[in-house]
Amino acid sequence: MAPSSTSRNRPVRTIITFIILTLLIPFGILTAGVLTSGGGETTEVGGEDDLDFFLEDDQDHVRFIPATALDLGGGAQIVLQPSGDNVTDEVVAEAIDVIRLRLNAAQLWNVEVEDIGDHQIGVSTANDEDWFVIASVVNNGNFRIRPVLAQDNGWETTIVIPDEDEDEIDDAEEPTETQDAEEGIDDEAIEETEEEPVIPPPPGVSQDLWDTFGEFTCGAGIEALVDDPNISIITCDNWGMTKFILGPEVIGNAEISVARAASQTGFMQDGSEVTFWAVDLYLDEPGTQVLATITTQLAGTEDQLALVMDGAVLDATSFPEPITDGELRTWGDQFTGFTENSARAFAAQLNYGILPTQFTSGTTEDISATLGTTNIQHGLLAGIIGLALGLAFLLWRYRALGLVAVAALAVAGGLAYTALALASWWTGYQLSLADVAALIV
C-alpha cells in the first residue's frame, strides 16, 4: 500500500523551518534591539583635561556590526602618572596587579593594562567601553566615611547645630513693638541699617576654615585638596554641585570586610519596571561598633555621614534608625546613582584595596589598531580569496549538490555573524583577529 501524501517527507518545509529557527529569529532579535536602542548613537564628551573622545551614549547600544577589540578596531589609552617621587618598578607592578584585579571584578575583561615606561601605566581599551567606569576603577581608591559638618548647594547652607544650641535659639525672645517704642528705636532706621546676619561656624570648625568655606568654589579648588583623614576638610560632590565641610574620618578602607554590588527592582510612575543598583558595605567588628555608635547619635536627625572616595563625596545620607549589624548600603550620587557597571567598579575598588602610590590621570589619546590597517586588509582579502576558491571547488566537483553545500555555508556564516553581534550586545564581547581565524577554521 502506497504511503499517503500526509505522511510523506517534506524536505523543503523542513529546510525553511530550520532556517527560520536558526537564522531569522536571532536576526530578528538583533534587528529589534538595533531599532529600539537607536543603533548606538555617540556623543562627544570631555575636553582638553578630560577623556577626550567619543563615548557611546547608551551602555546597552546595539548594532549590526559586532564590537571589535584593540587589534582590529583600535581604541583609546589613558596614561596614569605617579604623583610621588620614590616610585620603583615593584610599586608599579603591584599597582598594575591591583588595577587588573579591579577590572576583572568589574567584568571589564577587554581592557589592557601595561607598564609603558618611566613608571607610567597605560590603560587601553576599544572605544565601545564605558570609560567613566574604567576611570573610576583606576582611581587610587581612598575610601573614607566622614561626618558632614556643613554643606552648601548654592541655594541653602546647612550646618550642624547641637541640640542645646538649638534650644537656646528657639527660646530667645524677639523684641516687641512696645519695647522698640520705649527704647526709641525707629523701624525705618532698622530697615535701612539692617545687614545680612553673620552665620557663625558650626561646632568643631575653626573660623579660618569657615571663612575659607565661604569663598571656596568647586572646580579648580578641589585639585588642591589634601585628603588627610585626621582633620576636617573642604570638598565637593562628584558633580561639583555641592560643597561640604567634613569632619575627620570615622571609618576607612581598613574597616570594610567586603563590598558587593546589589540590584533591586522598582517601578516608575508610569508603572514601568526598572532595576536600581547599589553597593552593600559589610564592616568588620570595630567598624560595626563605630557605625552603630554614630548612627545611634544621628538617628532621627538631619545630620549626615558622607561616603568619600578619593576626596570627592559620593553620597551623603541621614539615618532614620541606627545601623547595628555593620551593613551599610549606598545608592551612589543623588543625580545618577549607580549603573550595573559603576556599582561593580566601586565594589571592586573597595575589595582590592588602594593603590600602593597615588596616580593621576595624564594624557588620553586615540590609538590605532595594534595589528595595523594594512595587515587587517591583507588578512581579509586572503580570507575572501580562500572562501571563493572553496566554493568554486564545491560547485565544480558536486554540481547541484554543491549549491546545497554553499547554501549551508551561507546559513552557518550568517548564524555565526548574528551570534557575534548578539554576544556584543548581551555580554560586551569584542571580536579580535584570533576569533576571526577560529571562525574561518
Side-chain angles (χ1 to χ4, degrees):
M1 179 178 178
S4 63
S5 59
T6 56
S7 63
R8 294 176 182 174
N9 292 329
R10 295 181 173 85
V12 175
R13 179 180 297 180
T14 302
I15 292 175
I16 293 176
T17 303
F18 174 77
I19 293 176
I20 291 175
L21 292 178
T22 59
L23 184 59
L24 295 185
I25 290 180
F27 187 77
I29 296 174
L30 178 62
T31 302
V34 171
L35 295 177
T36 55
S37 70
E41 297 178 357
T42 57
T43 303
E44 186 177 8
V45 299
E48 295 181 357
D49 298 326
D50 299 319
L51 303 177
D52 187 13
F53 44 85
F54 286 94
L55 295 178
E56 293 294 339
D57 188 48
D58 185 359
Q59 291 182 354
D60 296 325
H61 63 276
V62 191
R63 296 177 299 179
F64 287 114
I65 302 175
T68 54
L70 278 170
D71 56 356
L72 291 180
Q77 181 183 72
I78 183 173
V79 178
L80 304 180
Q81 300 175 338
S83 56
D85 296 329
N86 300 321
V87 179
T88 63
D89 293 339
E90 290 74 15
V91 170
V92 174
E94 182 181 351
I96 291 176
D97 290 339
V98 172
I99 292 174
R100 285 174 176 166
L101 289 172
R102 290 178 178 178
L103 291 170
N104 290 334
Q107 300 183 1
L108 297 171
W109 298 294
N110 298 309
V111 182
E112 297 183 4
V113 184
E114 59 183 345
D115 185 349
I116 58 176
D118 294 332
H119 295 153
Q120 295 180 337
I121 299 176
V123 182
S124 307
T125 188
N127 291 333
D128 286 342
E129 289 288 355
D130 187 344
W131 269 95
F132 289 113
V133 176
I134 295 175
S136 67
V137 170
V138 301
N139 283 339
N140 296 305
N142 286 303
F143 177 77
R144 313 188 196 282
I145 298 180
R146 295 173 176 264
V148 176
L149 303 182
Q151 59 179 299
D152 184 0
N153 57 15
W155 296 278
E156 180 182 13
T157 301
T158 305
I159 63 175
V160 176
I161 302 177
D163 294 338
E164 57 270 18
D165 293 342
E166 292 179 353
D167 295 337
E168 292 178 4
I169 295 175
D170 293 337
D171 295 339
E173 295 183 359
E174 295 289 338
T176 63
E177 294 182 1
T178 304
Q179 291 174 335
D180 289 345
E182 292 176 355
E183 297 174 5
I185 300 177
D186 186 357
D187 291 340
E188 295 182 359
I190 292 178
E191 293 179 0
E192 293 178 358
T193 59
E194 186 175 4
E195 297 179 356
E196 184 177 347
V198 176
I199 302 177
V205 176
S206 66
Q207 186 64 51
D208 290 340
L209 184 62
W210 185 243
D211 293 339
T212 303
F213 178 70
E215 300 174 357
F216 184 86
T217 57
C218 296
I222 198 68
E223 301 297 333
L225 169 68
V226 177
D227 188 19
D228 189 333
N230 301 313
I231 62 174
S232 298
I233 64 170
I234 299 174
T235 187
C236 299
D237 61 4
N238 286 327
W239 292 88
M241 301 291 290
T242 304
K243 59 183 180 179
F244 297 84
I245 297 182
L246 305 178
E249 172 191 303
V250 293
I251 294 174
N253 291 79
E255 286 74 39
I256 298 177
S257 296
V258 67
R260 294 192 179 97
S263 63
Q264 179 175 319
T265 302
F267 296 90
M268 304 296 288
Q269 293 182 350
D270 59 1
S272 60
E273 187 175 288
V274 63
T275 300
F276 299 98
W277 284 88
V279 175
D280 291 331
L281 310 179
Y282 299 88
L283 307 183
D284 61 10
E285 184 174 350
T288 298
Q289 295 176 354
V290 172
L291 184 64
T293 301
I294 295 177
T295 54
T296 299
Q297 298 172 352
L298 302 183
T301 70
E302 296 182 357
D303 299 343
Q304 298 177 324
L305 288 179
L307 279 63
V308 186
M309 176 60 78
D310 291 327
V313 175
L314 173 72
D315 186 14
T317 182
S318 55
F319 300 88
E321 57 186 23
I323 298 179
T324 57
D325 58 0
E327 298 181 10
L328 180 62
R329 168 167 289 191
T330 173
W331 297 94
D333 68 75
Q334 59 179 324
F335 295 104
T336 61
F338 283 122
T339 63
E340 178 180 359
N341 287 340
S342 62
R344 295 185 187 279
F346 183 71
Q349 280 184 289
L350 299 178
N351 287 330
Y352 294 102
I354 63 176
L355 299 182
T357 186
Q358 290 192 349
F359 287 85
T360 57
S361 299
T363 59
T364 303
E365 57 186 14
D366 293 332
I367 55 176
S368 60
T370 56
L371 294 177
T373 305
T374 303
N375 292 336
I376 295 174
Q377 292 175 347
H378 290 170
L380 292 176
L381 180 60
I384 292 173
I385 293 175
L387 181 62
L389 291 175
L391 295 178
F393 173 78
L394 289 174
L395 293 175
W396 171 76
R397 181 67 178 83
Y398 298 104
R399 300 294 192 275
L401 290 178
L403 293 175
V404 177
V406 170
L409 287 175
V411 172
L415 180 60
Y417 185 87
T418 304
L420 292 177
L422 289 174
S424 294
W425 172 19
W426 290 338
T427 67
Y429 164 80
Q430 293 179 348
L431 181 66
S432 66
L433 187 62
D435 298 331
V436 175
L439 289 171
I440 294 176
V441 173

